[in-house]
Amino acid sequence: MGVNLQTVSSIKSNIWKLYILKGLEFAWFPIPVIILFYENNGLSFEQSLLLKTILSLSIFIFEIPSGYFADIFGRKACLVSGGLVWTLGLLFYCFQTSFSAFAIAEILSGLAMSLISGANTALGFDSLVKMNQEQNYRHVEGRLGAIAGVAEAICGLVGGLVAARNLVYPFYLQTICIFVYFLIALTLVEPNLDQSSTNASQPDNHREIWEAIRFSLLVNKKVKWLILFSANFGIATFLAVWLSQADMQSRGLEVSSFGFAWAAFHLIMSFASFKATSIENFWGTKKVFLGLVIFLGLSYICLGLINQVWGIIFIALIYFSRGVRSPLVLNCINQNLPSSIRATVLSINSFMFNLGFIAIAPVVGWITETYNLDTALFLLGFVFIGFGVFCWQKLVESEVF
């Protein structure tokens, strides 16, 4: 009995450690000035965008294999490996100045993010299952989202300030944070897999990646439409990170104010994530999911139509939607997964988002270059509403709500 109590106590420590790890993971000190950093090292704007494409491709390639790795060798092994690989990648930014070195850094960073993605969520959910507290997952995920938002806000603001002295300093700070991430990940406790954590039917050979793909995209309709619904939101919110910088600049905002805007957006996202469970309890899952789709799409449309400075409020609304969506959708996905393939399917969820982003980002770039940014934003709003409502209707038919 003493051993069991000690084990449960150790597993319980995973939750607060995951809170710390989430903050360190989102210590994005360089983001507000990363384009300036590239330019300072002689890279063109096209090369800067190419580096982000390399990052997305790296995540795309490694996403599902890393989830499979987590299900076979453990979630802790993935998080430890991710922290170590990410630290190595950031060192290239700290001490190198060439495009090829930065490309290697983006590949390593993509691998690290793939290793972490899914494994952290799976470890957190399985830890709660082990403690018979899986019903608290929405609250935990909401807090994780809030921590991520606050970390991005504070670190983005600090990164902008230290970059005024030297543009490489933000990378030094992020490298230190990710190395600490690696050290804390070493202290995590791997919970034993609990096959009874869900009523979902488990594939016959859950050790095979194909079986996990087949299960999540073909066999289980609930999981399939949740993944596609999540991908629609993921693409929209990730595009907003890059498009919002150009949008704010077109509205006449000074580049020096971008760090403060970045902080404000992420504090709003943090607040929304923290309140996500309360919002869902008040309105109900079905209404919240539909409302988020319309909320997100209309924000894009309004950004394309309104050119005044106050229009940046719609960027804030996109971040608010992101904050509410993440814990609620992840909770729905987790509730429909067997533990043995949880990390793999969560990686498939991220994989589908990256696949969609790789497909749509060049089109958005072409529309922006051929016409203008406002046209791209306007059209994106209708695309996100149309596809989002379609997925929502399929979720209703699949009785997810």
Side-chain angles (χ1 to χ4, degrees):
M1 180 64 70
V3 175
N4 289 335
L5 288 175
Q6 184 176 4
T7 300
V8 171
S9 176
S10 299
I11 291 175
K12 187 176 181 179
S13 71
N14 283 346
I15 304 302
W16 64 261
K17 288 176 184 177
L18 285 174
Y19 290 152
I20 297 174
L21 292 177
K22 179 63 72 171
L24 294 170
E25 177 187 348
F26 282 83
W28 291 99
F29 294 98
I31 288 295
V33 296
I34 195 166
I35 300 300
L36 295 177
F37 173 82
Y38 290 146
E39 291 177 352
N40 189 62
N41 283 282
L43 273 64
S44 66
F45 186 69
E46 289 76 14
Q47 287 177 310
S48 300
L49 292 181
L50 179 57
L51 287 174
K52 294 306 147 191
T53 302
I54 291 172
L55 174 64
S56 294
L57 285 172
S58 177
I59 297 173
F60 174 79
I61 291 170
F62 295 121
E63 191 63 66
I64 297 179
S66 66
Y68 176 71
F69 179 89
D71 283 330
I72 298 300
F73 298 102
R75 290 81 157 105
K76 175 182 176 179
C78 255
L79 297 179
V80 171
S81 300
L84 180 59
V85 171
W86 202 347
T87 301
L88 294 175
L90 287 169
L91 289 175
F92 279 90
Y93 271 120
C94 292
F95 301 109
Q96 299 294 320
T97 59
S98 67
F99 174 84
S100 58
F102 295 159
I104 294 173
E106 294 295 280
I107 293 171
L108 292 175
S109 296
L111 172 58
M113 292 176 190
S114 297
L115 287 165
I116 291 171
S117 171
N120 51 8
T121 301
L123 187 139
F125 192 86
D126 283 339
S127 295
L128 291 172
V129 169
K130 194 69 176 177
M131 296 184 291
N132 294 317
Q133 295 179 16
E134 60 264 38
Q135 71 277 6
N136 294 329
Y137 176 76
R138 288 182 305 166
H139 299 280
V140 171
E141 187 61 41
R143 293 190 187 101
L144 288 169
I147 290 169
V150 171
E152 284 192 86
I154 295 174
C155 294
L157 186 57
V158 172
L161 294 175
V162 300
R165 297 183 63 86
N166 193 311
L167 286 168
V168 78
Y169 285 174
F171 286 99
Y172 291 164
L173 293 177
Q174 188 180 13
T175 303
I176 293 171
C177 288
I178 298 302
F179 182 68
V180 173
Y181 182 107
F182 162 72
L183 295 178
I184 294 177
L186 288 170
T187 69
L188 291 169
V189 178
E190 186 76 37
N192 293 328
L193 298 179
D194 189 336
Q195 306 304 327
S196 62
S197 62
T198 179
N199 292 325
S201 58
Q202 184 174 330
D204 291 334
N205 186 3
H206 59 264
R207 298 285 183 184
E208 298 296 330
I209 293 179
W210 165 246
E211 288 298 326
I213 296 174
R214 179 175 172 273
F215 170 82
S216 56
L217 299 181
L218 297 175
V219 175
N220 192 311
K221 292 182 179 180
K222 292 181 180 181
V223 174
K224 177 179 74 173
W225 291 113
L226 282 167
I227 286 175
L228 293 176
F229 185 84
S230 178
N232 185 63
F233 264 93
I235 294 167
T237 53
F238 194 60
L239 276 172
V241 173
W242 309 110
L243 296 180
S244 62
Q245 296 181 28
D247 181 75
M248 288 189 294
Q249 197 166 25
S250 70
R251 295 175 190 276
L253 271 72
E254 296 292 333
V255 176
S256 58
S257 66
F258 281 18
F260 293 96
W262 177 269
F265 294 154
H266 284 83
L267 287 175
I268 290 171
M269 184 187 75
S270 176
F271 174 79
S273 183
F274 186 75
K275 291 294 184 179
T277 300
S278 298
I279 293 172
E280 183 184 33
N281 290 337
F282 184 82
W283 292 102
T285 307
K286 182 189 296 186
K287 289 181 180 179
V288 171
F289 275 33
L290 179 60
L292 286 174
V293 169
I294 297 173
F295 209 52
L296 181 70
L298 287 179
S299 296
Y300 265 89
I301 293 171
C302 291
L303 281 174
L305 293 176
I306 300 171
N307 295 316
Q308 286 82 4
V309 174
W310 64 267
I312 64 171
I313 190 174
F314 296 107
I315 301 176
L317 292 178
I318 291 174
Y319 277 85
F320 180 86
S321 300
R322 174 185 171 188
V324 175
R325 184 272 307 184
S326 183
L328 302 188
V329 174
L330 283 175
N331 180 62
C332 284
I333 293 175
N334 271 301
Q335 292 293 343
N336 288 278
L337 294 179
S339 182
S340 57
I341 60 168
R342 193 181 310 283
T344 303
V345 175
L346 290 171
S347 288
I348 291 171
N349 178 50
S350 182
F351 174 88
M352 293 301 295
F353 148 66
N354 281 289
L355 177 62
F357 182 81
I358 291 170
I360 200 171
V363 177
V364 174
W366 178 83
I367 294 174
T368 301
E369 184 176 345
T370 305
Y371 299 96
N372 53 58
L373 179 61
D374 289 339
T375 300
L377 292 168
F378 183 78
L379 294 175
L380 281 171
F382 285 102
V383 171
F384 292 139
I385 288 179
F387 188 70
V389 170
F390 176 75
C391 291
W392 176 83
Q393 182 60 41
K394 292 296 183 180
L395 291 174
V396 172
E397 293 175 2
S398 302
E399 300 181 345
V400 171
F401 313 121

